[in-house]
């Protein structure tokens, strides 16, 4: 079994990638199971769109 450290599982992703990939039900379940936090950003505006934990 792999031991995961949540403090190392913070990912910075673009809004379009989040919409197309990370909003799929299976991916959301995996993210919850492994406690992955996502920081969704608008790269052009340089602003945070969404923070999930």
């Amino acid at each position: 079994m792999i031991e995961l450290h949540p403090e190392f599982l913070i990912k910075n992703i673009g809004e379009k990638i989040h919409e197309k990939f990370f909003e799929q039900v299976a991916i959301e379940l995996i993210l919850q199971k492994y406690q992955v936090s996502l920081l969704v950003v608008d790269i052009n505006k340089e602003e945070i769109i969404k923070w999930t934990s």
Side-chain angles (χ1 to χ4, degrees):
M1 182 174 191
I2 298 172
E3 185 174 326
L4 300 174
H5 299 281
E7 64 269 17
F8 297 111
L9 295 176
I10 298 173
K11 302 296 178 195
N12 179 353
I13 60 169
E15 184 176 18
K16 291 184 187 217
I17 294 170
H18 180 265
E19 290 172 356
K20 292 183 180 194
F21 182 74
F22 288 95
E23 288 187 351
Q24 297 176 52
V25 175
I27 302 303
E28 287 180 346
L29 292 172
I30 292 168
L31 295 175
Q32 289 173 1
K33 180 178 180 176
Y34 293 102
Q35 300 177 348
V36 177
S37 298
L38 298 175
L39 181 62
V40 182
V41 297
D42 182 324
I43 297 170
N44 295 323
K45 293 181 183 177
E46 297 182 353
E47 66 182 17
I48 297 171
I49 303 297
K50 183 177 182 179
W51 166 259
T52 64
S53 58

Coordinates of all heavy atoms in Angstrom, one line a residue:
M1 N 0.8 -1.2 0.0 CA 0.0 0.0 0.0 C 0.9 1.3 0.0 O 1.8 1.3 0.7 CB -0.9 0.0 1.2 CG -1.8 1.2 1.3 SD -3.0 0.9 2.7 CE -4.1 2.2 2.3
I2 N 0.5 2.2 -0.8 CA 1.3 3.5 -0.9 C 0.7 4.4 0.1 O -0.5 4.6 0.2 CB 1.1 4.1 -2.3 CG1 1.7 3.1 -3.3 CG2 1.8 5.5 -2.3 CD1 1.5 3.6 -4.8
E3 N 1.6 5.0 0.9 CA 1.2 6.0 1.9 C 1.3 7.4 1.2 O 2.3 7.8 0.7 CB 2.1 6.0 3.1 CG 1.6 6.9 4.2 CD 2.4 6.8 5.5 OE1 2.9 5.7 5.8 OE2 2.7 7.8 6.1
L4 N 0.2 8.1 1.2 CA 0.1 9.4 0.6 C 0.2 10.5 1.6 O -0.4 10.4 2.7 CB -1.1 9.6 -0.3 CG -1.3 8.5 -1.4 CD1 -2.7 8.7 -2.0 CD2 -0.2 8.7 -2.4
H5 N 0.8 11.6 1.3 CA 0.9 12.8 2.2 C 0.1 13.9 1.5 O 0.6 14.5 0.5 CB 2.3 13.2 2.4 CG 3.2 12.1 3.0 ND1 3.1 11.8 4.3 CD2 4.0 11.2 2.5 CE1 3.9 10.8 4.6 NE2 4.4 10.4 3.5
P6 N -1.1 14.3 2.1 CA -1.9 15.3 1.4 C -1.3 16.6 1.2 O -1.6 17.3 0.2 CB -3.1 15.4 2.4 CG -3.1 14.1 3.2 CD -1.7 13.7 3.2
E7 N -0.3 17.0 2.0 CA 0.4 18.3 1.8 C 1.1 18.3 0.4 O 1.4 19.4 -0.1 CB 1.3 18.6 2.9 CG 2.5 17.7 3.1 CD 2.2 16.6 4.0 OE1 1.0 16.2 4.3 OE2 3.2 16.0 4.5
F8 N 1.4 17.2 -0.2 CA 2.0 17.1 -1.5 C 1.1 17.0 -2.6 O 1.5 16.8 -3.8 CB 3.1 16.0 -1.5 CG 4.2 16.2 -0.5 CD1 4.3 15.4 0.6 CD2 5.1 17.2 -0.6 CE1 5.3 15.6 1.6 CE2 6.1 17.4 0.3 CZ 6.2 16.6 1.4
L9 N -0.2 16.9 -2.3 CA -1.2 16.7 -3.4 C -2.0 17.9 -3.7 O -3.2 17.8 -3.9 CB -2.1 15.5 -3.0 CG -1.4 14.2 -2.8 CD1 -2.4 13.2 -2.3 CD2 -0.8 13.7 -4.1
I10 N -1.4 19.0 -3.8 CA -2.0 20.3 -4.2 C -1.6 20.6 -5.7 O -0.5 20.6 -6.0 CB -1.6 21.5 -3.3 CG1 -2.1 21.2 -1.9 CG2 -2.3 22.8 -3.8 CD1 -1.6 22.2 -0.9
K11 N -2.6 20.7 -6.5 CA -2.4 20.9 -8.0 C -2.9 22.2 -8.4 O -4.1 22.5 -8.1 CB -3.0 19.7 -8.8 CG -2.4 18.3 -8.4 CD -1.0 18.2 -8.6 CE -0.5 16.9 -8.1 NZ 1.0 16.8 -8.0
N12 N -2.2 22.9 -9.3 CA -2.6 24.1 -9.9 C -3.0 23.8 -11.3 O -2.2 23.4 -12.1 CB -1.5 25.1 -9.8 CG -1.8 26.4 -10.5 OD1 -2.8 26.6 -11.1 ND2 -0.9 27.4 -10.3
I13 N -4.3 24.0 -11.7 CA -4.7 23.6 -13.0 C -5.5 24.7 -13.7 O -6.1 25.6 -13.0 CB -5.6 22.3 -13.0 CG1 -6.8 22.5 -12.2 CG2 -4.8 21.1 -12.6 CD1 -7.9 21.4 -12.3
G14 N -5.5 24.8 -15.0 CA -6.3 25.8 -15.7 C -7.8 25.4 -15.7 O -8.2 24.3 -15.5
E15 N -8.6 26.5 -15.9 CA -10.1 26.3 -15.8 C -10.6 25.3 -16.9 O -11.5 24.5 -16.6 CB -10.7 27.7 -16.0 CG -12.2 27.7 -15.9 CD -12.8 29.0 -15.9 OE1 -12.2 30.0 -16.4 OE2 -14.0 29.2 -15.5
K16 N -10.1 25.4 -18.1 CA -10.6 24.5 -19.2 C -10.2 23.1 -18.9 O -11.0 22.2 -19.2 CB -10.0 25.0 -20.5 CG -10.6 26.3 -21.0 CD -10.1 26.7 -22.4 CE -10.7 28.1 -22.6 NZ -11.1 28.3 -23.9
I17 N -9.1 22.8 -18.4 CA -8.7 21.4 -18.0 C -9.6 20.9 -16.9 O -10.1 19.8 -17.0 CB -7.2 21.4 -17.6 CG1 -6.3 21.7 -18.7 CG2 -6.9 20.0 -17.0 CD1 -4.9 21.9 -18.4
H18 N -9.9 21.8 -16.0 CA -10.8 21.4 -14.9 C -12.2 21.0 -15.4 O -12.8 20.0 -15.1 CB -10.9 22.5 -13.9 CG -11.9 22.2 -12.7 ND1 -13.2 22.6 -12.7 CD2 -11.7 21.5 -11.6 CE1 -13.8 22.1 -11.6 NE2 -12.9 21.5 -10.9
E19 N -12.7 21.9 -16.3 CA -14.1 21.6 -16.9 C -14.1 20.3 -17.7 O -15.1 19.6 -17.6 CB -14.5 22.8 -17.8 CG -14.8 24.1 -17.0 CD -15.0 25.3 -18.0 OE1 -14.9 25.1 -19.2 OE2 -15.3 26.3 -17.4
K20 N -13.1 20.1 -18.5 CA -13.1 18.9 -19.4 C -12.7 17.6 -18.7 O -13.2 16.5 -19.1 CB -12.2 19.2 -20.6 CG -12.8 20.2 -21.5 CD -11.9 20.4 -22.7 CE -12.5 21.5 -23.5 NZ -12.0 21.6 -24.9
F21 N -11.9 17.6 -17.7 CA -11.4 16.4 -17.1 C -11.8 16.2 -15.6 O -12.4 15.2 -15.3 CB -9.8 16.4 -17.2 CG -9.2 15.1 -16.7 CD1 -9.3 13.9 -17.4 CD2 -8.6 15.1 -15.5 CE1 -8.8 12.8 -16.9 CE2 -8.0 13.9 -15.0 CZ -8.1 12.8 -15.7
F22 N -11.5 17.2 -14.8 CA -11.7 17.0 -13.4 C -13.1 17.0 -12.9 O -13.4 16.7 -11.8 CB -10.8 18.0 -12.6 CG -9.4 17.7 -12.7 CD1 -8.6 18.4 -13.6 CD2 -8.8 16.8 -11.8 CE1 -7.2 18.1 -13.7 CE2 -7.4 16.6 -11.9 CZ -6.6 17.2 -12.9
E23 N -14.1 17.4 -13.7 CA -15.5 17.4 -13.3 C -16.2 16.1 -13.7 O -17.4 16.0 -13.4 CB -16.2 18.6 -13.9 CG -15.8 19.9 -13.3 CD -16.6 21.1 -13.7 OE1 -17.4 21.0 -14.6 OE2 -16.5 22.2 -13.1
Q24 N -15.5 15.2 -14.2 CA -16.0 13.8 -14.5 C -16.3 13.1 -13.1 O -15.4 13.2 -12.2 CB -15.1 13.0 -15.3 CG -14.9 13.6 -16.7 CD -13.9 12.8 -17.5 OE1 -14.1 11.6 -17.6 NE2 -12.9 13.5 -18.1
V25 N -17.4 12.4 -13.0 CA -17.7 11.8 -11.7 C -16.6 10.9 -11.2 O -16.2 10.9 -10.1 CB -19.1 11.0 -11.9 CG1 -19.4 10.3 -10.6 CG2 -20.2 12.0 -12.2
A26 N -16.1 10.0 -12.1 CA -15.0 9.1 -11.7 C -13.8 9.8 -11.2 O -13.2 9.4 -10.1 CB -14.6 8.2 -12.8
I27 N -13.4 10.9 -11.8 CA -12.2 11.7 -11.4 C -12.5 12.3 -10.1 O -11.6 12.4 -9.2 CB -11.8 12.7 -12.5 CG1 -11.5 12.0 -13.8 CG2 -10.7 13.5 -12.0 CD1 -10.4 10.9 -13.8
E28 N -13.7 12.9 -9.9 CA -14.0 13.5 -8.6 C -14.0 12.5 -7.5 O -13.5 12.9 -6.4 CB -15.4 14.2 -8.7 CG -15.5 15.4 -9.6 CD -16.9 16.0 -9.6 OE1 -17.9 15.4 -9.3 OE2 -16.9 17.2 -10.1
L29 N -14.4 11.3 -7.7 CA -14.3 10.3 -6.6 C -12.9 9.9 -6.3 O -12.6 9.8 -5.1 CB -15.1 9.0 -7.1 CG -16.6 9.2 -7.2 CD1 -17.2 7.9 -7.8 CD2 -17.2 9.5 -5.9
I30 N -12.0 9.8 -7.3 CA -10.6 9.6 -7.0 C -10.0 10.7 -6.2 O -9.2 10.5 -5.3 CB -9.9 9.3 -8.4 CG1 -10.4 8.0 -9.0 CG2 -8.4 9.3 -8.2 CD1 -9.9 7.8 -10.4
L31 N -10.3 12.0 -6.6 CA -9.7 13.1 -5.9 C -10.2 13.1 -4.5 O -9.4 13.4 -3.6 CB -10.2 14.4 -6.6 CG -9.6 14.6 -8.0 CD1 -10.2 15.9 -8.6 CD2 -8.1 14.7 -8.1
Q32 N -11.4 12.8 -4.2 CA -11.9 12.7 -2.8 C -11.3 11.6 -2.1 O -10.8 11.8 -0.9 CB -13.4 12.5 -2.8 CG -14.2 13.7 -3.3 CD -15.7 13.4 -3.4 OE1 -16.2 12.3 -3.2 NE2 -16.5 14.4 -3.9
K33 N -11.1 10.5 -2.7 CA -10.5 9.3 -2.0 C -9.1 9.6 -1.5 O -8.7 9.3 -0.4 CB -10.6 8.1 -2.9 CG -9.9 6.9 -2.2 CD -10.0 5.6 -3.1 CE -9.4 4.5 -2.4 NZ -9.5 3.2 -3.1
Y34 N -8.3 10.2 -2.4 CA -6.9 10.5 -2.1 C -6.7 11.9 -1.6 O -5.5 12.4 -1.5 CB -6.1 10.2 -3.4 CG -6.0 8.8 -3.7 CD1 -6.8 8.2 -4.7 CD2 -5.3 7.9 -2.9 CE1 -6.8 6.9 -5.0 CE2 -5.3 6.5 -3.2 CZ -6.0 6.0 -4.2 OH -6.0 4.7 -4.5
Q35 N -7.7 12.6 -1.3 CA -7.7 14.0 -0.7 C -6.8 14.9 -1.5 O -5.9 15.6 -0.9 CB -7.2 13.8 0.8 CG -8.1 13.0 1.6 CD -7.6 12.8 3.0 OE1 -6.5 13.2 3.4 NE2 -8.5 12.3 3.9
V36 N -7.0 15.0 -2.8 CA -6.3 15.9 -3.6 C -7.0 17.2 -3.7 O -8.2 17.3 -3.9 CB -6.2 15.3 -5.1 CG1 -5.5 16.3 -6.0 CG2 -5.5 14.0 -5.1
S37 N -6.2 18.3 -3.4 CA -6.8 19.6 -3.5 C -6.4 20.2 -4.8 O -5.3 20.0 -5.3 CB -6.2 20.5 -2.3 OG -6.5 20.0 -1.1
L38 N -7.3 21.0 -5.4 CA -7.1 21.6 -6.7 C -7.3 23.1 -6.6 O -8.2 23.6 -5.9 CB -8.1 21.1 -7.7 CG -8.0 19.6 -8.1 CD1 -9.1 19.2 -9.0 CD2 -6.7 19.2 -8.7
L39 N -6.4 23.8 -7.2 CA -6.5 25.3 -7.3 C -6.7 25.6 -8.8 O -5.8 25.4 -9.6 CB -5.2 25.9 -6.8 CG -5.1 27.4 -6.9 CD1 -6.2 28.0 -5.9 CD2 -3.7 27.9 -6.4
V40 N -7.9 26.0 -9.1 CA -8.3 26.2 -10.5 C -8.1 27.7 -10.8 O -8.6 28.6 -10.1 CB -9.8 25.8 -10.8 CG1 -10.1 26.1 -12.3 CG2 -10.0 24.4 -10.4
V41 N -7.3 28.0 -11.8 CA -7.0 29.4 -12.1 C -7.3 29.8 -13.6 O -7.3 28.9 -14.5 CB -5.5 29.7 -11.9 CG1 -5.1 29.5 -10.4 CG2 -4.6 28.8 -12.8
D42 N -7.6 31.1 -13.7 CA -7.8 31.6 -15.1 C -6.4 32.2 -15.4 O -5.9 33.2 -14.8 CB -8.8 32.7 -15.1 CG -9.0 33.3 -16.5 OD1 -8.0 33.5 -17.2 OD2 -10.2 33.7 -16.8
I43 N -5.7 31.5 -16.3 CA -4.3 31.9 -16.6 C -4.2 33.3 -17.2 O -3.2 34.0 -16.8 CB -3.6 30.8 -17.5 CG1 -3.6 29.5 -16.7 CG2 -2.2 31.2 -17.9 CD1 -3.2 28.3 -17.5
N44 N -5.1 33.6 -18.0 CA -5.0 34.9 -18.7 C -5.3 36.1 -17.7 O -4.6 37.1 -17.8 CB -6.1 35.0 -19.8 CG -5.7 34.0 -20.9 OD1 -4.6 33.8 -21.3 ND2 -6.8 33.4 -21.5
K45 N -6.2 35.9 -16.8 CA -6.6 37.0 -15.8 C -5.7 36.9 -14.6 O -5.7 37.7 -13.7 CB -8.0 36.9 -15.4 CG -9.0 37.2 -16.5 CD -10.4 37.1 -16.1 CE -11.4 37.4 -17.2 NZ -12.8 37.3 -16.7
E46 N -5.0 35.7 -14.4 CA -4.2 35.5 -13.3 C -5.0 35.6 -12.0 O -4.6 36.2 -11.0 CB -3.0 36.4 -13.2 CG -2.0 36.2 -14.4 CD -0.8 37.1 -14.3 OE1 -0.7 38.0 -13.4 OE2 0.1 37.0 -15.1
E47 N -6.1 34.9 -12.0 CA -7.0 34.9 -10.8 C -7.5 33.5 -10.5 O -7.6 32.6 -11.4 CB -8.2 35.8 -11.0 CG -9.2 35.4 -12.0 CD -10.3 36.4 -12.2 OE1 -10.2 37.6 -11.7 OE2 -11.3 36.1 -12.8
I48 N -7.8 33.3 -9.2 CA -8.3 32.0 -8.8 C -9.8 31.9 -9.1 O -10.5 32.8 -8.7 CB -8.0 31.8 -7.3 CG1 -6.5 31.8 -7.0 CG2 -8.7 30.5 -6.7 CD1 -6.2 31.9 -5.5
I49 N -10.1 30.8 -9.7 CA -11.5 30.5 -10.1 C -12.2 29.6 -9.0 O -13.3 29.9 -8.6 CB -11.7 29.8 -11.4 CG1 -11.0 30.6 -12.5 CG2 -13.1 29.5 -11.8 CD1 -11.6 32.0 -12.8
K50 N -11.5 28.6 -8.6 CA -12.0 27.7 -7.6 C -10.9 27.0 -6.8 O -9.9 26.7 -7.3 CB -12.8 26.6 -8.4 CG -13.5 25.6 -7.6 CD -14.3 24.7 -8.5 CE -15.1 23.6 -7.8 NZ -15.9 22.8 -8.6
W51 N -11.2 26.7 -5.6 CA -10.3 26.0 -4.7 C -11.1 24.8 -4.2 O -12.2 24.9 -3.6 CB -9.8 26.8 -3.5 CG -9.2 26.1 -2.5 CD1 -9.7 25.7 -1.3 CD2 -7.8 25.5 -2.4 NE1 -8.8 25.0 -0.5 CE2 -7.7 24.9 -1.2 CE3 -6.8 25.6 -3.3 CZ2 -6.5 24.2 -0.9 CZ3 -5.6 24.9 -3.0 CH2 -5.5 24.3 -1.8
T52 N -10.6 23.6 -4.4 CA -11.3 22.4 -3.8 C -10.3 21.7 -2.9 O -9.1 21.7 -3.1 CB -11.7 21.4 -4.9 OG1 -10.5 20.9 -5.6 CG2 -12.6 22.0 -6.0
S53 N -10.9 21.2 -1.8 CA -10.1 20.5 -0.8 C -10.8 19.2 -0.4 O -11.9 19.0 -0.6 CB -9.7 21.4 0.3 OG -10.9 21.8 1.0

